[in-house]
Structures are given as C-alpha cells and as structure tokens.
Amino acid sequence: MFRTGFAILLAGLIASWPGPQPDGSFMLGMVPVRIEGNGGRTLLVSAFEVSVAQWRQCYDSGGCSYLPVTPVGTDRFPITGVNWLDVNEYIDWANGRSGGGLRLPTIAEWRELNRPLAHAKPPPSFTDPRLAWAANYGQETVSVGPVRHRGTFSTTPSGISDLDGNVWEWTASCFNGYFGEETNNTCPAFVAAGEHEAVVSVFIRKPGLGGCASGMPPTHLGFRLVSDG
C-alpha cells in the first residue's frame, strides 16, 4: 500500500515538474514592425541577420549539420554561405530551443521591411510577359566586397539594420514561376532579397559562383528571422 501510494505521488510530481524553459535569447534583439495590408499587423523582426556565433552554437549542439569556413574574429558578422536547407535546420533548432514561432520572412514582408530604403526601379527592358525573366537584365547591381560587421549599413526607422547590405537574405517565398509565393518544402528555388531580388536554388550556398535561377546572383547569402509574436 505504501509503495503504491508513493508511486502515485512520484508520478504526480514528475507530471507537474516544469520541463525545460524556453530560451528567450532568440527573441532578444527583435523589434516590432507594423506590416500594412490585410488590416495591418505587427511582425517581430530580428534587427540583424543571424551571426556566425549564433550559427556555430547550432552546429556545436548538433542542430546544424554544416559549418561554413569563417575567418577568426568574425563571430559578430552575418553568417553566409548557407543554403535554404541549411537555414531550415537552424530554424528547426532555434524553434526547439525557443518554444517555436521563428521563421523566415516572406518576400512580401521583406519588401515591406525594406520600403524605407527602396529605390525606384527603372522600367523593364521587355514588356512581353514571356520575357519577364530577363526584363531587368543589365539593370541590377550587386554590392561586392567582403562580408562586413553587422550594423555597418543602413538602419530603417523601425530599427532593422543591413537590409541594403552586401548580404542577401533568404525568404520563405518559393519563386512564383513554380508554385507561388509561399513556403513549400518541395520548391526547387526560393527568393533571396537584397539590393535587388534573385531566385536561388535550395542547394546553392554561394550563388556568386553559379546556380542562380533568376536575377543577378548575390555575392553573399545569409538570413534573418521573424516571428508573428
């Protein structure tokens, strides 16, 4: 009888014992940004792109299977050289630690974040919809040079930095020439955004060396996280 009662008490204690607490550090540095459209909503956005140090933490804990080669002293630089599949390993790991809700922005959300920094686009070279893939040929430029410290480039009034930097950012939007602008795990190429937009295969880590499906390929490719709160 005593053993039965003790077992019941122990089982109750185990059931009520608090599990691992979510790691709140992932939400630090996120700022609220008002997103217009559909009645308006607030999106939490990382002020900076995910850093080398943050990626290394994922790799060291077994959450990320790939670790790009990074120079010594660049822990606070944006992580680059990661493909869409690598990035989603990081997001899965981060959501497991944080309690969930972290994701990539859609291209529509990224455009809204970048709206204060956006420049007027020149008219397309072709108006025939069959040539839309080449309509901006020769008009796009890419910021070259080495990856620079986070916070080096412009900051929007909302507090989002480096959207105009030389690191392009993966988005959750499949190229609409395939399935439409939505997250789709079977999509072969997603939109990456920066000084202009490019479409990059999910396998490509360094689009500057080739593999860009559409648009001038960026030199460096990284990402930042958002949350719906």
Side-chain angles (χ1 to χ4, degrees):
M1 183 68 180
F2 173 77
R3 290 183 179 179
T4 302
F6 178 77
I8 294 174
L9 176 61
L10 182 60
L13 289 173
I14 292 174
S16 62
W17 192 267
Q21 296 300 302
D23 184 350
S25 65
F26 291 95
M27 303 302 290
L28 294 177
M30 281 194 160
V31 296
V33 179
R34 184 70 174 173
I35 301 295
E36 302 301 330
N38 296 324
R41 58 191 173 87
T42 298
L43 187 69
L44 297 177
V45 183
S46 294
F48 302 103
E49 292 144 343
V50 170
S51 71
V52 170
Q54 290 169 320
W55 187 275
R56 186 176 291 115
Q57 184 183 8
C58 176
Y59 179 81
D60 289 344
S61 65
C64 295
S65 59
Y66 175 70
L67 180 65
V69 176
T70 54
V72 175
T74 59
D75 278 3
R76 297 184 64 188
F77 284 52
I79 187 69
T80 58
V82 289
N83 64 31
W84 198 84
L85 303 175
D86 299 327
V87 168
N88 278 272
E89 282 188 347
Y90 180 92
I91 293 174
D92 288 344
W93 169 81
N95 278 325
R97 292 290 188 92
S98 67
L102 300 171
R103 60 177 178 84
L104 292 174
T106 66
I107 187 57
E109 290 168 340
W110 199 96
R111 290 168 183 160
E112 183 71 15
L113 298 175
N114 188 58
R115 188 161 52 86
L117 305 177
H119 301 290
K121 294 182 179 180
S125 302
F126 309 104
T127 56
D128 188 330
R130 293 172 297 178
L131 298 175
W133 61 273
N136 296 319
Y137 183 78
Q139 300 178 354
E140 297 173 335
T141 59
V142 175
S143 298
V144 295
V147 178
R148 299 173 70 180
H149 193 288
R150 298 194 305 174
T152 298
F153 298 92
S154 302
T155 299
T156 69
S158 298
I160 310 303
S161 295
D162 302 329
L163 292 167
D164 60 345
N166 63 354
V167 173
W168 263 239
E169 300 178 5
W170 283 106
T171 75
S173 293
C174 178
F175 176 47
N176 60 16
Y178 296 120
F179 301 116
E181 292 183 357
E182 59 184 19
T183 300
N184 190 313
N185 290 331
T186 63
C187 179
F190 284 77
V191 181
E195 198 166 338
H196 61 265
E197 294 173 13
V199 179
V200 184
S201 164
V202 296
F203 301 106
I204 298 300
R205 291 177 171 137
K206 296 181 179 181
L209 300 179
C212 193
S214 176
M216 181 75 70
T219 305
H220 308 293
L221 192 55
F223 67 107
R224 79 177 67 224
L225 298 179
V226 301
S227 174
D228 296 300

